[in-house]
Structures are given as structure tokens and as C-alpha cells.
Amino acid sequence: MSSNYAAELNVALLAVQRATQLTKSVFHQNAKGTLNKSDASPVTIGDFGAQALIISALQANFPNDEIVAEEEAKDLRENGKMKDLVWSLVQDAKLSDQGAEQTLGGTINGANKMLDIIDKGDSKGGSSGRIWAIDPIDGTKGFLRGGQYAVCLALMVDGDVKVGVLGCPNLPVSDSEPLREGIGADASDEEGKFGVLFSAVQGQGAQSRPLSKGGLAEAKTINMAPISNVSDATFCESVEAGHSSQGDAANIAQKLGITKPSVRMDSQAKYASIARGAGDLYLRLPVRKDYVEKIWDHAAGDLIVREAGGQVTDVEGQRLNFRLGRTLKENKGVIAAPKDVHSHVIQAVKEVLSAKQ
């Protein structure tokens, strides 16, 4: 395999694109089909279906690679009705381009095989070898309310993120559309206006292209917006107060002289939005000492922002460490910003957080 990761990027883009077809279908047909999960975030049948499709494509192309994924099939094995529903959706999720489907290895051979495939995402992660990280639907609450969510896939080699892809069905195709709350709400399916595929390969820059139902659309290079004065910045944060301290974020914004209100949105769509210059800063601030981030919630977005000219660190200014297993256990919080203002933002973050101790 060549080291420019062209084959991996192509498969990742097509796999995510096909998975978004399923997630959009699930939203429109079955938005009420949720299961409870022990970590209290809602799980949808779309999570299971998207994970099955992506792992199936990875196994067809890179059978020896390990996979870290969020879901396991236990709940589906115990719920025949749900299993049948997911299987039906997986069978229907096909790209209209035959060559693209062939690249992804075609259809899964039966519902039980689908369950086995979902359970292949059980790698412990770590610092050696090729490991893919999948979040089949990042931002499940956003997904359920018809807001922002992302289908996320990243390849790490020896703990270093090499390829990142984000499928954001409800972000506007136009990179110049300003960031605002409620953008793309109600899962608008206006053809050509909403739905973006973001990608990056280490050392090769970041790109966006419209999501399509067939082969890949033409890509264009994306870059973070140049910003000379941090007080002019637009910053995004999580919708859920349980994911990020919104009070601390407001204090940091005040310290930086930012007067625009924050834009709250779910998922790694925040990383994608600042990478394309629609926003400037992404603040995810620790809500409690024992909260540990999962690698699949950050790997793709981290690479895409850095390849678009940004810097991504924790609140201490340390790079995110994807080498330690399934979590970012050495990092607290996330600060993503253009390189030239990142240190300024980190300084404000440290001042606000240290004042609380």
C-alpha cells in the first residue's frame, strides 16, 4: 500500500457517503426508533446501520486493519424487531454508482453477518498499527431533532491520524454561508444546498465536496478564515451543557473581547465549520474532572482542522493524544483555533479555568 493514502481516502469517502444515505433515510422514516444506552446518549437504528455499512467497506478493502467503533450489536441480538428494521435499511443503502458500490465490497451477506460486522469495532486502540475509528452518528441528539450530526471516520497509523472524513448531511454546501444556530435545521434535503463531505490526509490539506448519492463529487480545498483580531471571532460550542461548560465559554469569550453570541451545534460539524472558515473557534471545556473524551469523537475533526491551517489542543495547549486506547485520557477539553490566535485563546482559557480553582 502506498503511503499517500489515496486508496484509504477513496474508500473512507465512499463509505461515509453511503452511510449518510442510510442515516437520512432513517431520519425521515424512523426518527422515533431509539434504544436506551448505558451512557445516556440516545442510540438510533441509524447508529447500528451506519456502523455496519462502514465496517463492511473497511473489511472488504483492508481486512487486516483494526477498528474502534462506538456500537456493539448486543441490543440488536436481543431485539428481533429492531434487528430486522436495521437489516432492511442496510440492504436499501446503496450508492447509485455501480463502480463505487463495487469499491465498497457490495452488500452484506445476511442479517446475522451484519451483527458480526457491527461487533468488529472492538479494537482497544493504541499506538501501533493501522486502526480506524468510527462514530456512525456523532451528535445523536442533533440527529433526532433534525439538526447537525456527522458520520465520522478516521485512520490512525501508529497512533497518528493520517486520514479523516466527516459526512455532515445538514450543513450547507456553500463554504461561504455564515455560521448561525439552526443552520440546516429540520434535516432539509434540498438537493445541492445541504450535505457536505469533508476530508483530510496528513500533509495534503483539507477538502470539502457536496454529498452525492452516487460517486464522489468534485472536491475543493478548504482553509480556516484569516483572523487578525480574535475579538472578531465566531466561536462554536456544544448544544449539550453536559458536554461542555457554557458558562466558562462565555467568560473566555468576554476575556477575548468577543461580542458575537456563540453558535451552539452538535457533533464534529463544529470542526468542519471552522475548518472551512464559516466559524473561527471551537471551545469544548471540561464539565467535570472524570469526563474522558472518546477518540472517535475527535480524530477526523482534529486532522481536518489542522490540515486547514488550524491548531487543535486540549485546554493546557497539548496536542490530542490518540495513542492511548479508545479514549483521550491524557487530555481535558478541546480548543481549536487558527494557528495565529490559538496561543491567545489558550491563555484566556487558562485564566478563566484557574480562577475557578
Side-chain angles (χ1 to χ4, degrees), residues 5 15 50 66 125 128-131 138 158 166 172 175 182 192 195 212 246 254 273-274 291 324 335 347-348:
Y5 298 103
E66 290 188 28
S128 65
R130 290 166 51 99
I131 304 171
D138 180 33
D158 299 333
L166 295 173
D175 290 327
S212 104
Q246 294 169 346
Q254 187 177 15
S273 294
I274 69 167
Y291 187 80
L324 302 173
I335 308 296
Q347 187 58 39

Side-chain angles (χ1 to χ4, degrees), residues 156-348:
M156 296 163 296
V157 180
D158 299 333
D160 208 15
V161 186
K162 299 293 188 184
V163 178
V165 173
L166 295 173
C168 301
N170 296 333
L171 277 183
V173 167
S174 169
D175 290 327
S176 57
E177 180 129 0
L179 200 59
R180 55 185 169 77
E181 226 151 287
I183 201 163
D186 307 318
S188 172
D189 258 353
E190 272 185 271
E191 192 69 44
K193 284 200 170 182
F194 292 92
V196 194
L197 203 50
F198 296 90
S199 62
V201 175
Q202 189 183 63
Q204 297 178 36
Q207 297 184 313
S208 78
R209 69 187 85 214
L211 275 167
S212 104
K213 295 176 179 173
L216 297 175
E218 192 173 338
K220 57 182 175 177
T221 299
I222 54 170
N223 292 289
M224 294 194 75
I227 181 166
S228 50
N229 191 337
V230 74
S231 64
D232 296 330
T234 297
F235 83 90
C236 0
E237 60 179 339
S238 298
V239 175
E240 303 298 327
H243 291 170
S244 181
S245 173
Q246 294 169 346
D248 289 344
N251 291 338
I252 290 161
Q254 187 177 15
K255 199 171 269 288
L256 291 169
I258 296 171
T259 53
K260 293 181 201 168
S262 73
V263 177
R264 291 177 180 169
M265 62 166 66
D266 294 282
S267 84
Q268 289 186 64
K270 295 184 284 293
Y271 280 113
S273 294
I274 69 167
R276 79 204 298 207
D280 302 297
L281 314 176
Y282 167 30
L283 306 180
R284 186 176 177 100
L285 302 164
V287 280
R288 55 178 208 268
K289 283 198 166 71
D290 62 344
Y291 187 80
V292 182
E293 302 283 354
K294 311 290 196 302
I295 62 171
W296 53 75
D297 284 330
H298 299 282
D302 168 87
L303 179 65
I304 289 167
V305 166
R306 289 188 291 108
E307 287 295 323
Q311 201 161 340
V312 184
T313 69
D314 63 12
V315 296
E316 297 292 332
Q318 303 297 315
R319 277 276 307 275
L320 304 187
N321 188 346
F322 295 97
R323 301 164 182 264
L324 302 173
R326 293 170 71 91
T327 67
L328 296 171
K329 54 189 168 200
E330 279 188 0
N331 301 114
K332 289 293 178 199
V334 177
I335 308 296
K339 276 181 186 164
D340 47 359
V341 299
H342 187 274
S343 59
H344 192 29
V345 177
I346 286 285
Q347 187 58 39

Side-chain angles (χ1 to χ4, degrees), residues 1-296:
M1 256 173 265
S2 67
S3 59
N4 69 357
Y5 298 103
E8 289 86 347
L9 176 63
N10 187 52
V11 169
L13 285 163
L14 289 172
V16 168
Q17 182 156 278
R18 180 170 69 172
T20 62
Q21 291 298 311
L22 180 140
T23 61
K24 291 198 302 190
S25 169
V26 170
F27 177 78
H28 292 303
Q29 295 175 39
N30 309 284
K32 299 277 185 281
T34 62
L35 290 171
N36 289 320
K37 192 170 68 167
S38 58
D39 71 359
S41 62
V43 167
T44 66
I45 50 179
D47 263 319
F48 292 116
Q51 180 163 313
L53 286 169
I54 293 171
I55 293 180
S56 171
L58 295 178
Q59 289 220 300
N61 286 276
F62 314 110
N64 299 320
D65 290 4
E66 290 188 28
I67 299 167
V68 172
E70 187 170 17
E71 307 305 335
E72 53 183 51
K74 181 174 174 287
D75 290 330
L76 282 187
R77 292 183 194 280
E78 294 167 0
N79 185 332
K81 187 177 172 191
M82 187 72 72
K83 178 181 85 170
D84 293 343
L85 183 52
V86 174
W87 172 233
S88 157
L89 287 156
V90 165
Q91 285 177 293
D92 288 345
K94 291 185 178 70
L95 295 172
S96 59
D97 182 289
Q98 203 172 352
E101 271 296 317
Q102 284 176 339
T103 297
L104 296 178
T107 52
I108 295 170
N109 189 19
N112 290 328
K113 177 70 172 169
M114 175 190 75
L115 298 180
D116 293 341
I117 285 171
I118 290 170
D119 281 335
K120 295 282 186 189
D122 61 353
S123 168
K124 292 182 169 55
S127 61
S128 65
R130 290 166 51 99
I131 304 171
W132 295 85
I134 303 170
D135 193 343
I137 296 181
D138 180 33
T140 44
K141 289 184 180 175
F143 169 70
L144 287 169
R145 65 170 163 259
Q148 292 307 327
Y149 70 97
V151 178
C152 316
L153 180 60
L155 171 64
M156 296 163 296
V157 180
D158 299 333
D160 208 15
V161 186
K162 299 293 188 184
V163 178
V165 173
L166 295 173
C168 301
N170 296 333
L171 277 183
V173 167
S174 169
D175 290 327
S176 57
E177 180 129 0
L179 200 59
R180 55 185 169 77
E181 226 151 287
I183 201 163
D186 307 318
S188 172
D189 258 353
E190 272 185 271
E191 192 69 44
K193 284 200 170 182
F194 292 92
V196 194
L197 203 50
F198 296 90
S199 62
V201 175
Q202 189 183 63
Q204 297 178 36
Q207 297 184 313
S208 78
R209 69 187 85 214
L211 275 167
S212 104
K213 295 176 179 173
L216 297 175
E218 192 173 338
K220 57 182 175 177
T221 299
I222 54 170
N223 292 289
M224 294 194 75
I227 181 166
S228 50
N229 191 337
V230 74
S231 64
D232 296 330
T234 297
F235 83 90
C236 0
E237 60 179 339
S238 298
V239 175
E240 303 298 327
H243 291 170
S244 181
S245 173
Q246 294 169 346
D248 289 344
N251 291 338
I252 290 161
Q254 187 177 15
K255 199 171 269 288
L256 291 169
I258 296 171
T259 53
K260 293 181 201 168
S262 73
V263 177
R264 291 177 180 169
M265 62 166 66
D266 294 282
S267 84
Q268 289 186 64
K270 295 184 284 293
Y271 280 113
S273 294
I274 69 167
R276 79 204 298 207
D280 302 297
L281 314 176
Y282 167 30
L283 306 180
R284 186 176 177 100
L285 302 164
V287 280
R288 55 178 208 268
K289 283 198 166 71
D290 62 344
Y291 187 80
V292 182
E293 302 283 354
K294 311 290 196 302
I295 62 171
W296 53 75

